[in-house]
Amino acid sequence: MEKHIALIRGDGIGPEIMTQAVAVLDAVAERFGHHFIYQDAPMGGSAIDAFGVPLPESSLETCLASDSVLLSAIGGPKWDTIDPALRPEKGLLALRAGMGLYANLRPASLIPQLREASPLRSDIVDKGIDFMVVRELIGGAYFGEHRTWTEDGQMAASDLMAYRESEIRRIVRVGFETAMKRRGRLCSVDKANVLDSSKLWRKIVNEMAPEYPEVEVRHMYVDNCAMQIVRDPSQFDVIVTENLFGDILSDEASQITGSIGMIPSSSLGEGSRGLYEPIHGSAPDIAGQDIANPIGMILAAAMMLRYSLDMPSEADAVEQAVSAVLERGLRTGDISEPGCTAVGCAAMGQAIAAAVAKTR
Ligand code: IPM
Ligand code: MG
């Protein structure tokens, strides 16, 4: 099969981890007889440097013309002090909106070889961590009206958190569908004791529940959810929530697995095209030193093969290659353990690519 893949190489460690993901995809193409055609779509800090804007029109066009998009990570201190309207993050938000990616799926699961890395007590970890955060991605406070003004001699600011019924319905549907494919338990997270947008959210979840009799639904306030994620994460299967709550809870969820460098995520809209990225940031402090962990990026490529390119066996091959390499004891610095073999970013990527070539 021939597939067009847009690459956003990003900032900081972005370009080096992307190189490794592409090496692994090339190994997949070779092993399974596909042809992947890559096209760069600059976005974020590097796009600001080259084009003066975080998301050039041509990059959005490249992404919209592709079968799917791979993104490493963007941003860094270099762009922290520029005009806020031009920050790297604005490019990401514009890309999400421009591609209509309303559903962000962020898995939190413990990688068996790395269970020691979790900061939680072992009796909590032993109960298992395997859940998915389904986050609404193009609504709420992120995309509501932002305003800063002066009033009675002092500054004031506001960000509007608004949701329309249809926006809630489509993401809650993704939550139910995801639960159907997993263990059938959906936890809808809101702040319905205070916020109108949450009251509407809860009403819609309750309205939709009868369509999914197999799914066990419950509601949880976001503050309680933040607590439950560290108290007993084994209680969760699928969490569905609005944009800002999902931003915060998904960072917390990734941290308890102890392997933030290993977790991929996907953003999807209508249709099969998606945006796939590791959940970690651009780590400018370690950029260019060949010490970054490329596994989150490589697993994001695997997720893309599975969900956007309809290549489940190819995705399995990549995931098995990652397991095999970890099993052999190869570790980048962030996941190092006594008795394991320390490797850099490129060596880790090459080992995984070589393992893909050997899968059957
Ligand atoms: C994320 C990030 C972004 C977000 C930032 C970079 C705008 O934190 O993907 O979670 O808040 O959505
Ligand atoms: Mg975030």
Side-chain angles (χ1 to χ4, degrees):
M1 273 204 266
E2 184 176 289
K3 295 288 179 190
H4 290 262
I5 302 171
L7 301 180
I8 302 174
R9 295 179 189 270
D11 309 316
I13 59 169
E16 53 196 291
I17 59 174
M18 183 64 86
T19 300
Q20 299 315 318
V22 169
V24 171
L25 285 173
D26 285 342
V28 168
E30 171 83 26
R31 161 73 184 73
F32 292 86
H34 300 306
H35 184 35
F36 296 141
I37 301 157
Y38 308 105
Q39 190 161 355
D40 280 306
M43 191 273 281
S46 60
I48 295 171
D49 290 351
F51 305 95
V53 287
L55 179 65
E57 193 58 39
S58 57
S59 290
L60 179 57
E61 279 165 18
T62 300
C63 293
L64 290 173
S66 69
D67 291 303
S68 199
V69 184
L70 260 190
L71 162 66
S72 56
I74 56 150
K78 183 174 173 197
W79 304 281
D80 273 352
T81 49
I82 63 171
D83 175 358
L86 292 177
R87 283 180 63 103
E89 292 82 353
K90 290 281 180 198
L92 182 57
L93 297 181
L95 183 66
R96 287 172 179 168
M99 293 179 67
L101 305 172
Y102 62 83
N104 181 215
L105 275 65
R106 299 187 166 183
S109 54
L110 203 66
I111 296 177
Q113 294 94 342
L114 300 179
R115 55 189 316 291
E116 294 298 312
S118 172
L120 296 184
R121 271 197 336 254
S122 59
D123 60 306
I124 299 176
V125 173
D126 284 346
K127 292 169 76 182
I129 303 176
D130 179 15
F131 62 97
M132 181 75 87
V133 178
V134 176
R135 169 191 176 192
E136 200 290 324
L137 203 56
I138 52 175
Y142 277 63
F143 290 86
E145 188 197 11
H146 303 293
R147 232 158 51 86
T148 303
W149 71 97
T150 309
E151 187 179 278
D152 302 332
Q154 58 178 331
M155 289 185 75
S158 93
D159 303 278
L160 184 68
M161 184 194 270
Y163 271 103
R164 283 207 303 242
E165 215 182 306
S166 55
E167 291 175 297
I168 300 173
R169 214 170 274 282
R170 65 185 181 181
I171 187 69
V172 169
R173 189 163 303 286
V174 174
F176 275 109
E177 297 288 338
T178 308
M180 292 282 287
K181 289 185 203 137
R182 294 176 47 103
R183 300 191 300 277
R185 285 173 20 224
L186 183 67
C187 179
S188 172
V189 173
D190 63 36
K191 190 69 185 173
N193 48 348
V194 180
L195 303 176
D196 272 27
S197 55
S198 284
K199 286 182 197 133
L200 179 60
W201 182 283
R202 196 175 275 223
K203 177 173 176 287
I204 289 182
V205 172
N206 286 335
E207 268 173 33
M208 292 175 71
E211 288 181 52
Y212 297 90
E214 307 87 341
V215 176
E216 177 199 313
V217 183
R218 66 181 170 146
H219 301 278
M220 196 179 272
Y221 296 137
V222 62
D223 49 348
N224 184 27
C225 183
M227 184 170 75
Q228 296 299 332
I229 284 175
V230 288
R231 198 189 67 85
D232 177 17
S234 72
Q235 68 185 286
F236 296 109
D237 179 19
V238 177
I239 289 174
V240 65
T241 193
E242 69 87 39
N243 202 347
L244 182 58
F245 298 162
D247 178 46
I248 299 166
L249 294 178
S250 63
D251 263 26
E252 185 190 13
S254 70
Q255 197 55 41
I256 60 168
T257 68
S259 42
I260 187 157
M262 316 269 300
I263 304 176
S265 80
S266 65
S267 302
L268 299 161
E270 304 302 339
S272 64
R273 186 190 309 111
L275 174 71
Y276 297 82
E277 58 185 309
I279 61 161
H280 61 71
S282 61
D285 52 319
I286 60 162
Q289 298 173 37
D290 192 34
I291 57 175
N293 184 346
I295 296 181
M297 182 78 246
I298 289 167
L299 291 175
M303 219 174 174
M304 175 185 76
L305 292 168
R306 187 181 307 283
Y307 294 109
S308 280
L309 304 186
D310 198 21
M311 299 183 174
S313 312
E314 291 80 341
D316 285 345
V318 174
E319 287 164 4
Q320 281 162 19
V322 168
S323 288
V325 165
L326 290 175
E327 205 53 56
R328 267 167 40 210
L330 268 61
R331 297 283 189 277
T332 44
D334 57 315
I335 51 172
S336 69
E337 275 172 68
C340 287
T341 311
V343 293
C345 178
M348 181 60 97
Q350 300 311 315
I352 295 167
V356 165
K358 282 195 221 123
T359 54
R360 342 168 140 257

